[in-house]
Amino acid sequence: MLLTGLVATLFEQEQAGDVAAGVSGVVDVNNRLEVSGINANLAEGLSASFLGEDKLSPATPDPDQALAARIRARYCWSASLHDQEMDVRVEDGRATLTGTVDTWLNRKHAAEAAHEAGAREVNNHLLVLPSAPVPNKHLAAAAHESLA
């Protein structure tokens, strides 16, 4: 399912994606909703501040850095991902995720969020903490394949 249009806040953007994902029969959500106007600038500034980035320094826009910032902002605003130990690197639109997460579902959500932020490809090298149970055979097989 593709979501497009304008919303007023990042919360509304995330909520719309969550609602769409909960619709019966939907297997994938491509959330391309844009946060409009001053709220987008405020949210970007808050996310950058939270992530320790200096928004006042003049720099040439780098699409890979902008994509990495969008991915980190999604993690920052996500209830399940904001406190996970993840690192994001982007090169030529390809995001590489490293670090650790608490659950297999968080690992999956991290990759989905990177795609939704605009990554054309995601190399998911996130490790799941040993105490996390594997939810089912299909997810375990997919996790094994992505590590290969």
Side-chain angles (χ1 to χ4, degrees), residues 33-119:
L33 291 171
E34 295 289 329
V35 179
S36 64
I38 191 164
N39 290 323
N41 294 334
L42 176 62
E44 185 177 321
L46 287 173
S47 296
S49 173
F50 179 78
L51 298 170
E53 298 171 1
D54 182 7
K55 293 302 286 180
L56 300 177
S57 65
T60 20
D62 178 354
D64 287 339
Q65 288 179 356
L67 174 56
R70 284 195 310 273
I71 294 169
R72 288 185 194 105
R74 283 185 176 269
Y75 294 166
C76 175
W77 289 95
S78 168
S80 63
L81 299 175
H82 76 277
D83 61 347
Q84 303 297 298
E85 297 291 326
M86 298 181 289
D87 186 47
V88 178
R89 307 260 183 223
V90 177
E91 186 174 326
D92 296 326
R94 179 181 298 125
T96 300
L97 312 178
T98 57
T100 59
V101 291
D102 294 335
T103 67
W104 288 97
L105 188 58
N106 284 348
R107 184 179 190 277
K108 179 183 176 204
H109 284 169
E112 289 171 349
H115 276 294
E116 289 171 0

